[in-house]
Amino acid sequence: MLWTAFFPYFITKKWVVILHEVILSAGIDIGTSTTQLIFSRLTLENQAVSYMAPKIDIVDKEVVYRSPIYFTPLKSPTEIDAEAVKDIVRREYASGGMKPSDIQTGAVIITGETARKQNANEVLAALSDMAGDFVVATAGPDLESVLSARGAGADALSKQRRIPVANLDVGGGTSNIALYDTGVLKGACCLDIGGRLIKVADGQITYVYPKIQALANRHGIQISAGNRADPEVLLQICRLMANQLAQALHLTQADGEHKGLYTNAGKPLSPQPPVKAVTFSGGVADCVYQDVPGDVFRYGDIGVLLGRAIREDPDLSRVERLPALETIRATVVGAGTHATDVSGSTIRYDSSMLPVKNVPILKVSAEDEALLETLKASIAYQLPLHMPEGKIEQIAIAFAGEKRTSFAEVQALAAAIIESAKEVIDSRFPLIVVVENDVGKVLGNALNVMLRHEKPVICIDGIHTANGDYIDIGEPVAGGQVLPVVIKTLVFNS
């Protein structure tokens, strides 16, 4: 950790202290097809009036090392080769000139089909122990859609252009889609469409994913493992897969096959707002943005052909194609950084439930917060993002809380939270609410009373968060007046 000199300056009759801290961050992404690692140098700046708690922002970020892209090592179709993954990480730490003790922050993310391998959690734990102090999360398919879209810059583009922008993260096993409108997440979905769902070696097909086999059969395309890998025949299948992506964006009418292609029987995007532009990320993205000459089976799969089919699809071509900030590295660029803060002093908490660590933020946007009905709908929609195996995980519900300060408004807000977060209420986890405005204590008291003091409640204020963040809440300090908070912000190249 490196601190530069600090100096005070005078603004609007308040002393402000500027401190620069440089820390190192690592990101590790273990995907369906590929595993990769990056190191970043992050500069944090503390701008706070001398008598206020620190407020730390990221003012600069620089990727200082990018690993080669490896095929994800597997022992079997259902098991990650944990030792081989650890060997990759050890080797890349050495190549990058890093030791685990050098790394203050970061993220290890297992994505795509790999997240469903039987030993995924064990691999995460092992990597966390050996690689440093990380946010450790197995990304479910919808959460992965959000992470990759932010890494590709689709959220920022939608805000800059003020139009709905969808990012399609087309990887080896799945295509993760997230839709943003003026910077606000409007929906996410995932389809079993990817470049390694048909594998090729020595001119022969060696594997066909069952859903893709069924899609080919229904359209009279005869393929199977052991057949010759005919580029023209396989391009026909890729065109069918590209058309399914267009259907997912409501750019053409969904057919009878479409529903069955969603990962884990997931739900499609809403047709509103209509998509006006797209970005592409994932391993197939570079083959979408440009023609790749030479051997179409150079990667041992149909990724090059799928990229071509997506680029040429007439329905996908009806909307603007915008350049992504990151393609194959969109997810791994989501390495984390710690921003330490303290809560406001108007808070409500159950000290027996503290500390809590690595709690993902479910953020209600300012737009959705405007009405109680849309606030409830936002919470209800986002809860499944935090249920990768169908069971609720610990979450923190966050929003600004600026426009509901009267007693009646706070009571109505508490009732809306309880109604929309039933899965959390019924779980073993405390109800955690994080607001920016200083209504934490009165809102926490209202929640506690409505829940008849039968559910632990932690309600803090003075904290700004975003979707994709994680929060640590420590034990009380300053005579119990405030709680130390660490926001672990997933840092994207945007």
Side-chain angles (χ1 to χ4, degrees), residues 330-372:
T331 305
V332 75
V333 169
T337 187
H338 296 227
T340 303
D341 206 343
V342 295
S343 71
S345 57
T346 53
I347 58 176
R348 173 70 171 81
Y349 59 88
D350 184 331
S351 59
S352 68
M353 305 305 297
L354 297 172
V356 294
K357 295 191 67 177
N358 293 338
V359 178
I361 294 291
L362 185 160
K363 183 65 180 283
V364 179
S365 69
E367 180 184 10
D368 287 338
E369 188 186 345
L371 300 173
L372 288 179

mmCIF file of all heavy atoms in Angstrom, residues 330-372:
data_model
loop_
_atom_site.group_PDB
_atom_site.id
_atom_site.type_symbol
_atom_site.label_atom_id
_atom_site.label_comp_id
_atom_site.label_asym_id
_atom_site.label_seq_id
_atom_site.Cartn_x
_atom_site.Cartn_y
_atom_site.Cartn_z
ATOM 1 N N ALA A 330 -14.289 -9.141 -20.677
ATOM 2 C CA ALA A 330 -15.284 -8.267 -20.056
ATOM 3 C C ALA A 330 -15.552 -8.637 -18.604
ATOM 4 O O ALA A 330 -15.704 -7.770 -17.742
ATOM 5 C CB ALA A 330 -16.585 -8.310 -20.855
ATOM 6 N N THR A 331 -15.606 -9.927 -18.298
ATOM 7 C CA THR A 331 -15.917 -10.336 -16.931
ATOM 8 C C THR A 331 -14.704 -10.243 -16.013
ATOM 9 O O THR A 331 -14.811 -9.790 -14.872
ATOM 10 C CB THR A 331 -16.486 -11.768 -16.921
ATOM 11 O OG1 THR A 331 -17.617 -11.829 -17.795
ATOM 12 C CG2 THR A 331 -16.946 -12.156 -15.532
ATOM 13 N N VAL A 332 -13.553 -10.647 -16.517
ATOM 14 C CA VAL A 332 -12.379 -10.666 -15.640
ATOM 15 C C VAL A 332 -11.948 -9.257 -15.242
ATOM 16 O O VAL A 332 -11.314 -9.062 -14.194
ATOM 17 C CB VAL A 332 -11.209 -11.433 -16.308
ATOM 18 C CG1 VAL A 332 -10.563 -10.623 -17.411
ATOM 19 C CG2 VAL A 332 -10.175 -11.862 -15.268
ATOM 20 N N VAL A 333 -12.291 -8.256 -16.062
ATOM 21 C CA VAL A 333 -11.939 -6.889 -15.700
ATOM 22 C C VAL A 333 -12.717 -6.452 -14.456
ATOM 23 O O VAL A 333 -12.392 -5.452 -13.827
ATOM 24 C CB VAL A 333 -12.173 -5.947 -16.911
ATOM 25 C CG1 VAL A 333 -12.094 -4.482 -16.531
ATOM 26 C CG2 VAL A 333 -11.137 -6.244 -17.990
ATOM 27 N N GLY A 334 -13.710 -7.239 -14.063
ATOM 28 C CA GLY A 334 -14.422 -6.951 -12.824
ATOM 29 C C GLY A 334 -13.651 -7.387 -11.602
ATOM 30 O O GLY A 334 -14.132 -8.191 -10.809
ATOM 31 N N ALA A 335 -12.475 -6.903 -11.457
ATOM 32 C CA ALA A 335 -11.720 -7.125 -10.222
ATOM 33 C C ALA A 335 -12.191 -6.134 -9.168
ATOM 34 O O ALA A 335 -12.602 -5.035 -9.494
ATOM 35 C CB ALA A 335 -10.223 -6.953 -10.493
ATOM 36 N N GLY A 336 -12.119 -6.520 -7.907
ATOM 37 C CA GLY A 336 -12.717 -5.678 -6.875
ATOM 38 C C GLY A 336 -11.752 -4.733 -6.198
ATOM 39 O O GLY A 336 -10.557 -4.926 -6.252
ATOM 40 N N THR A 337 -12.311 -3.728 -5.616
ATOM 41 C CA THR A 337 -11.526 -2.819 -4.788
ATOM 42 C C THR A 337 -12.287 -2.495 -3.516
ATOM 43 O O THR A 337 -13.501 -2.457 -3.512
ATOM 44 C CB THR A 337 -11.181 -1.524 -5.551
ATOM 45 O OG1 THR A 337 -10.285 -0.771 -4.757
ATOM 46 C CG2 THR A 337 -12.388 -0.702 -5.868
ATOM 47 N N HIS A 338 -11.567 -2.282 -2.438
ATOM 48 C CA HIS A 338 -12.184 -1.972 -1.160
ATOM 49 C C HIS A 338 -12.288 -0.459 -0.991
ATOM 50 O O HIS A 338 -11.322 0.241 -1.185
ATOM 51 C CB HIS A 338 -11.323 -2.511 -0.008
ATOM 52 C CG HIS A 338 -11.206 -4.001 -0.001
ATOM 53 N ND1 HIS A 338 -11.381 -4.738 1.140
ATOM 54 C CD2 HIS A 338 -10.920 -4.890 -0.973
ATOM 55 C CE1 HIS A 338 -11.202 -6.018 0.863
ATOM 56 N NE2 HIS A 338 -10.914 -6.120 -0.415
ATOM 57 N N ALA A 339 -13.439 0.024 -0.637
ATOM 58 C CA ALA A 339 -13.599 1.439 -0.286
ATOM 59 C C ALA A 339 -14.158 1.487 1.126
ATOM 60 O O ALA A 339 -15.317 1.164 1.351
ATOM 61 C CB ALA A 339 -14.537 2.136 -1.263
ATOM 62 N N THR A 340 -13.307 1.861 2.070
ATOM 63 C CA THR A 340 -13.689 1.813 3.474
ATOM 64 C C THR A 340 -14.447 3.073 3.871
ATOM 65 O O THR A 340 -14.073 4.169 3.496
ATOM 66 C CB THR A 340 -12.451 1.670 4.364
ATOM 67 O OG1 THR A 340 -11.744 0.489 3.963
ATOM 68 C CG2 THR A 340 -12.844 1.548 5.827
ATOM 69 N N ASP A 341 -15.522 2.921 4.617
ATOM 70 C CA ASP A 341 -16.337 4.043 5.045
ATOM 71 C C ASP A 341 -16.931 3.685 6.404
ATOM 72 O O ASP A 341 -16.719 2.589 6.923
ATOM 73 C CB ASP A 341 -17.448 4.299 4.024
ATOM 74 C CG ASP A 341 -17.926 5.738 4.031
ATOM 75 O OD1 ASP A 341 -17.648 6.461 5.010
ATOM 76 O OD2 ASP A 341 -18.593 6.131 3.060
ATOM 77 N N VAL A 342 -17.660 4.621 6.986
ATOM 78 C CA VAL A 342 -18.461 4.306 8.165
ATOM 79 C C VAL A 342 -19.894 4.698 7.875
ATOM 80 O O VAL A 342 -20.154 5.585 7.057
ATOM 81 C CB VAL A 342 -17.959 5.034 9.431
ATOM 82 C CG1 VAL A 342 -16.574 4.548 9.804
ATOM 83 C CG2 VAL A 342 -17.976 6.543 9.250
ATOM 84 N N SER A 343 -20.804 4.025 8.528
ATOM 85 C CA SER A 343 -22.209 4.333 8.335
ATOM 86 C C SER A 343 -22.533 5.694 8.926
ATOM 87 O O SER A 343 -21.733 6.293 9.655
ATOM 88 C CB SER A 343 -23.068 3.271 9.022
ATOM 89 O OG SER A 343 -22.982 3.419 10.431
ATOM 90 N N GLY A 344 -23.737 6.187 8.623
ATOM 91 C CA GLY A 344 -24.239 7.341 9.348
ATOM 92 C C GLY A 344 -24.542 6.948 10.789
ATOM 93 O O GLY A 344 -24.460 5.773 11.171
ATOM 94 N N SER A 345 -24.877 7.942 11.583
ATOM 95 C CA SER A 345 -25.126 7.667 13.006
ATOM 96 C C SER A 345 -26.594 7.393 13.309
ATOM 97 O O SER A 345 -26.923 6.982 14.421
ATOM 98 C CB SER A 345 -24.639 8.840 13.852
ATOM 99 O OG SER A 345 -25.272 10.035 13.454
ATOM 100 N N THR A 346 -27.474 7.590 12.325
ATOM 101 C CA THR A 346 -28.901 7.299 12.536
ATOM 102 C C THR A 346 -29.185 5.912 11.980
ATOM 103 O O THR A 346 -29.677 5.765 10.861
ATOM 104 C CB THR A 346 -29.782 8.359 11.845
ATOM 105 O OG1 THR A 346 -29.393 8.461 10.470
ATOM 106 C CG2 THR A 346 -29.627 9.707 12.512
ATOM 107 N N ILE A 347 -28.860 4.894 12.751
ATOM 108 C CA ILE A 347 -28.921 3.523 12.262
ATOM 109 C C ILE A 347 -29.640 2.620 13.260
ATOM 110 O O ILE A 347 -29.847 2.976 14.417
ATOM 111 C CB ILE A 347 -27.503 2.965 11.993
ATOM 112 C CG1 ILE A 347 -26.653 3.035 13.272
ATOM 113 C CG2 ILE A 347 -26.840 3.720 10.861
ATOM 114 C CD1 ILE A 347 -25.276 2.425 13.119
ATOM 115 N N ARG A 348 -30.011 1.427 12.778
ATOM 116 C CA ARG A 348 -30.645 0.399 13.621
ATOM 117 C C ARG A 348 -29.966 -0.914 13.297
ATOM 118 O O ARG A 348 -29.838 -1.283 12.133
ATOM 119 C CB ARG A 348 -32.142 0.314 13.310
ATOM 120 C CG ARG A 348 -32.885 -0.836 14.001
ATOM 121 C CD ARG A 348 -32.991 -0.578 15.505
ATOM 122 N NE ARG A 348 -33.859 -1.525 16.159
ATOM 123 C CZ ARG A 348 -33.520 -2.756 16.538
ATOM 124 N NH1 ARG A 348 -32.316 -3.225 16.255
ATOM 125 N NH2 ARG A 348 -34.374 -3.507 17.176
ATOM 126 N N TYR A 349 -29.494 -1.634 14.316
ATOM 127 C CA TYR A 349 -28.812 -2.890 14.042
ATOM 128 C C TYR A 349 -28.995 -3.861 15.198
ATOM 129 O O TYR A 349 -29.304 -3.474 16.327
ATOM 130 C CB TYR A 349 -27.321 -2.675 13.783
ATOM 131 C CG TYR A 349 -26.574 -2.022 14.920
ATOM 132 C CD1 TYR A 349 -26.020 -2.776 15.950
ATOM 133 C CD2 TYR A 349 -26.414 -0.638 14.964
ATOM 134 C CE1 TYR A 349 -25.340 -2.187 17.001
ATOM 135 C CE2 TYR A 349 -25.721 -0.030 16.008
ATOM 136 C CZ TYR A 349 -25.193 -0.813 17.028
ATOM 137 O OH TYR A 349 -24.518 -0.217 18.055
ATOM 138 N N ASP A 350 -28.811 -5.136 14.874
ATOM 139 C CA ASP A 350 -28.806 -6.213 15.862
ATOM 140 C C ASP A 350 -27.352 -6.658 16.001
ATOM 141 O O ASP A 350 -26.806 -7.317 15.114
ATOM 142 C CB ASP A 350 -29.695 -7.365 15.382
ATOM 143 C CG ASP A 350 -29.821 -8.487 16.398
ATOM 144 O OD1 ASP A 350 -28.875 -8.676 17.187
ATOM 145 O OD2 ASP A 350 -30.851 -9.179 16.387
ATOM 146 N N SER A 351 -26.707 -6.278 17.092
ATOM 147 C CA SER A 351 -25.266 -6.524 17.241
ATOM 148 C C SER A 351 -24.925 -8.008 17.251
ATOM 149 O O SER A 351 -23.804 -8.388 16.932
ATOM 150 C CB SER A 351 -24.741 -5.854 18.509
ATOM 151 O OG SER A 351 -25.428 -6.342 19.654
ATOM 152 N N SER A 352 -25.902 -8.857 17.584
ATOM 153 C CA SER A 352 -25.625 -10.291 17.609
ATOM 154 C C SER A 352 -25.384 -10.859 16.211
ATOM 155 O O SER A 352 -24.843 -11.954 16.065
ATOM 156 C CB SER A 352 -26.783 -11.049 18.270
ATOM 157 O OG SER A 352 -27.946 -11.003 17.460
ATOM 158 N N MET A 353 -25.813 -10.113 15.167
ATOM 159 C CA MET A 353 -25.658 -10.580 13.795
ATOM 160 C C MET A 353 -24.396 -10.029 13.124
ATOM 161 O O MET A 353 -24.148 -10.297 11.950
ATOM 162 C CB MET A 353 -26.884 -10.186 12.967
ATOM 163 C CG MET A 353 -28.205 -10.657 13.519
ATOM 164 S SD MET A 353 -28.288 -12.457 13.794
ATOM 165 C CE MET A 353 -28.108 -13.065 12.124
ATOM 166 N N LEU A 354 -23.622 -9.240 13.844
ATOM 167 C CA LEU A 354 -22.431 -8.613 13.269
ATOM 168 C C LEU A 354 -21.164 -9.312 13.738
ATOM 169 O O LEU A 354 -21.130 -9.832 14.860
ATOM 170 C CB LEU A 354 -22.389 -7.131 13.665
ATOM 171 C CG LEU A 354 -23.555 -6.283 13.151
ATOM 172 C CD1 LEU A 354 -23.521 -4.891 13.745
ATOM 173 C CD2 LEU A 354 -23.531 -6.212 11.626
ATOM 174 N N PRO A 355 -20.097 -9.339 12.923
ATOM 175 C CA PRO A 355 -20.005 -8.734 11.598
ATOM 176 C C PRO A 355 -20.601 -9.624 10.507
ATOM 177 O O PRO A 355 -20.782 -10.834 10.722
ATOM 178 C CB PRO A 355 -18.498 -8.596 11.401
ATOM 179 C CG PRO A 355 -17.934 -9.764 12.166
ATOM 180 C CD PRO A 355 -18.825 -9.940 13.371
ATOM 181 N N VAL A 356 -20.903 -9.023 9.359
ATOM 182 C CA VAL A 356 -21.277 -9.771 8.160
ATOM 183 C C VAL A 356 -20.304 -9.383 7.055
ATOM 184 O O VAL A 356 -19.844 -8.247 6.993
ATOM 185 C CB VAL A 356 -22.727 -9.483 7.729
ATOM 186 C CG1 VAL A 356 -23.705 -10.008 8.758
ATOM 187 C CG2 VAL A 356 -22.964 -7.999 7.484
ATOM 188 N N LYS A 357 -19.987 -10.349 6.190
ATOM 189 C CA LYS A 357 -18.986 -10.089 5.147
ATOM 190 C C LYS A 357 -19.464 -10.623 3.810
ATOM 191 O O LYS A 357 -20.224 -11.575 3.721
ATOM 192 C CB LYS A 357 -17.648 -10.760 5.501
ATOM 193 C CG LYS A 357 -16.969 -10.204 6.754
ATOM 194 C CD LYS A 357 -15.549 -10.718 6.884
ATOM 195 C CE LYS A 357 -14.667 -10.166 5.789
ATOM 196 N NZ LYS A 357 -13.251 -10.594 5.926
ATOM 197 N N ASN A 358 -18.978 -9.963 2.752
ATOM 198 C CA ASN A 358 -19.198 -10.402 1.375
ATOM 199 C C ASN A 358 -20.679 -10.536 1.040
ATOM 200 O O ASN A 358 -21.115 -11.522 0.442
ATOM 201 C CB ASN A 358 -18.471 -11.722 1.104
ATOM 202 C CG ASN A 358 -16.972 -11.582 1.140
ATOM 203 O OD1 ASN A 358 -16.443 -10.485 0.974
ATOM 204 N ND2 ASN A 358 -16.276 -12.672 1.384
ATOM 205 N N VAL A 359 -21.469 -9.526 1.421
ATOM 206 C CA VAL A 359 -22.900 -9.541 1.159
ATOM 207 C C VAL A 359 -23.169 -8.771 -0.133
ATOM 208 O O VAL A 359 -22.846 -7.579 -0.232
ATOM 209 C CB VAL A 359 -23.686 -8.900 2.322
ATOM 210 C CG1 VAL A 359 -25.180 -8.876 2.013
ATOM 211 C CG2 VAL A 359 -23.411 -9.645 3.617
ATOM 212 N N PRO A 360 -23.753 -9.406 -1.153
ATOM 213 C CA PRO A 360 -24.015 -8.699 -2.407
ATOM 214 C C PRO A 360 -25.124 -7.664 -2.257
ATOM 215 O O PRO A 360 -26.085 -7.857 -1.515
ATOM 216 C CB PRO A 360 -24.432 -9.816 -3.371
ATOM 217 C CG PRO A 360 -24.897 -10.931 -2.503
ATOM 218 C CD PRO A 360 -24.122 -10.835 -1.225
ATOM 219 N N ILE A 361 -24.983 -6.560 -2.984
ATOM 220 C CA ILE A 361 -25.943 -5.466 -2.951
ATOM 221 C C ILE A 361 -27.022 -5.679 -4.009
ATOM 222 O O ILE A 361 -26.720 -5.906 -5.186
ATOM 223 C CB ILE A 361 -25.242 -4.116 -3.209
ATOM 224 C CG1 ILE A 361 -24.290 -3.776 -2.062
ATOM 225 C CG2 ILE A 361 -26.261 -3.001 -3.428
ATOM 226 C CD1 ILE A 361 -24.961 -3.446 -0.759
ATOM 227 N N LEU A 362 -28.280 -5.592 -3.587
ATOM 228 C CA LEU A 362 -29.416 -5.526 -4.504
ATOM 229 C C LEU A 362 -29.849 -4.061 -4.536
ATOM 230 O O LEU A 362 -30.453 -3.571 -3.592
ATOM 231 C CB LEU A 362 -30.550 -6.438 -4.025
ATOM 232 C CG LEU A 362 -31.786 -6.591 -4.911
ATOM 233 C CD1 LEU A 362 -32.551 -7.865 -4.529
ATOM 234 C CD2 LEU A 362 -32.727 -5.396 -4.850
ATOM 235 N N LYS A 363 -29.504 -3.358 -5.599
ATOM 236 C CA LYS A 363 -29.720 -1.909 -5.648
ATOM 237 C C LYS A 363 -30.994 -1.573 -6.421
ATOM 238 O O LYS A 363 -31.174 -1.979 -7.568
ATOM 239 C CB LYS A 363 -28.523 -1.215 -6.301
ATOM 240 C CG LYS A 363 -28.611 0.308 -6.339
ATOM 241 C CD LYS A 363 -28.586 0.910 -4.927
ATOM 242 C CE LYS A 363 -28.669 2.424 -4.941
ATOM 243 N NZ LYS A 363 -27.393 3.065 -5.305
ATOM 244 N N VAL A 364 -31.869 -0.795 -5.782
ATOM 245 C CA VAL A 364 -33.055 -0.266 -6.443
ATOM 246 C C VAL A 364 -32.669 1.088 -7.043
ATOM 247 O O VAL A 364 -32.168 1.962 -6.341
ATOM 248 C CB VAL A 364 -34.215 -0.104 -5.452
ATOM 249 C CG1 VAL A 364 -35.445 0.489 -6.156
ATOM 250 C CG2 VAL A 364 -34.563 -1.444 -4.806
ATOM 251 N N SER A 365 -32.889 1.257 -8.335
ATOM 252 C CA SER A 365 -32.507 2.499 -8.995
ATOM 253 C C SER A 365 -33.387 3.649 -8.529
ATOM 254 O O SER A 365 -34.492 3.453 -8.012
ATOM 255 C CB SER A 365 -32.628 2.352 -10.515
ATOM 256 O OG SER A 365 -33.991 2.247 -10.895
ATOM 257 N N ALA A 366 -32.907 4.862 -8.733
ATOM 258 C CA ALA A 366 -33.688 6.046 -8.374
ATOM 259 C C ALA A 366 -35.002 6.078 -9.132
ATOM 260 O O ALA A 366 -36.045 6.475 -8.585
ATOM 261 C CB ALA A 366 -32.866 7.302 -8.674
ATOM 262 N N GLU A 367 -34.966 5.638 -10.377
ATOM 263 C CA GLU A 367 -36.193 5.602 -11.176
ATOM 264 C C GLU A 367 -37.212 4.640 -10.569
ATOM 265 O O GLU A 367 -38.394 4.968 -10.437
ATOM 266 C CB GLU A 367 -35.852 5.189 -12.608
ATOM 267 C CG GLU A 367 -37.051 5.116 -13.541
ATOM 268 C CD GLU A 367 -36.673 4.605 -14.924
ATOM 269 O OE1 GLU A 367 -35.530 4.131 -15.098
ATOM 270 O OE2 GLU A 367 -37.527 4.676 -15.823
ATOM 271 N N ASP A 368 -36.768 3.439 -10.192
ATOM 272 C CA ASP A 368 -37.681 2.454 -9.622
ATOM 273 C C ASP A 368 -38.113 2.821 -8.212
ATOM 274 O O ASP A 368 -39.173 2.396 -7.746
ATOM 275 C CB ASP A 368 -37.023 1.065 -9.612
ATOM 276 C CG ASP A 368 -36.938 0.459 -11.005
ATOM 277 O OD1 ASP A 368 -37.714 0.880 -11.881
ATOM 278 O OD2 ASP A 368 -36.079 -0.412 -11.217
ATOM 279 N N GLU A 369 -37.296 3.609 -7.526
ATOM 280 C CA GLU A 369 -37.627 4.007 -6.157
ATOM 281 C C GLU A 369 -38.733 5.063 -6.108
ATOM 282 O O GLU A 369 -39.356 5.284 -5.061
ATOM 283 C CB GLU A 369 -36.367 4.549 -5.474
ATOM 284 C CG GLU A 369 -36.519 4.810 -3.987
ATOM 285 C CD GLU A 369 -35.292 5.482 -3.404
ATOM 286 O OE1 GLU A 369 -34.237 5.481 -4.060
ATOM 287 O OE2 GLU A 369 -35.413 6.001 -2.282
ATOM 288 N N ALA A 370 -38.997 5.715 -7.234
ATOM 289 C CA ALA A 370 -39.936 6.841 -7.257
ATOM 290 C C ALA A 370 -41.330 6.442 -6.777
ATOM 291 O O ALA A 370 -42.016 7.214 -6.096
ATOM 292 C CB ALA A 370 -40.002 7.433 -8.660
ATOM 293 N N LEU A 371 -41.770 5.231 -7.121
ATOM 294 C CA LEU A 371 -43.081 4.732 -6.700
ATOM 295 C C LEU A 371 -42.901 3.458 -5.900
ATOM 296 O O LEU A 371 -42.023 2.635 -6.205
ATOM 297 C CB LEU A 371 -43.974 4.452 -7.918
ATOM 298 C CG LEU A 371 -44.283 5.640 -8.841
ATOM 299 C CD1 LEU A 371 -45.021 5.145 -10.074
ATOM 300 C CD2 LEU A 371 -45.104 6.686 -8.106
ATOM 301 N N LEU A 372 -43.735 3.254 -4.895
ATOM 302 C CA LEU A 372 -43.620 2.042 -4.084
ATOM 303 C C LEU A 372 -43.845 0.785 -4.920
ATOM 304 O O LEU A 372 -43.213 -0.248 -4.688
ATOM 305 C CB LEU A 372 -44.606 2.093 -2.914
ATOM 306 C CG LEU A 372 -44.257 3.071 -1.787
ATOM 307 C CD1 LEU A 372 -45.337 3.028 -0.711
ATOM 308 C CD2 LEU A 372 -42.893 2.748 -1.175
#
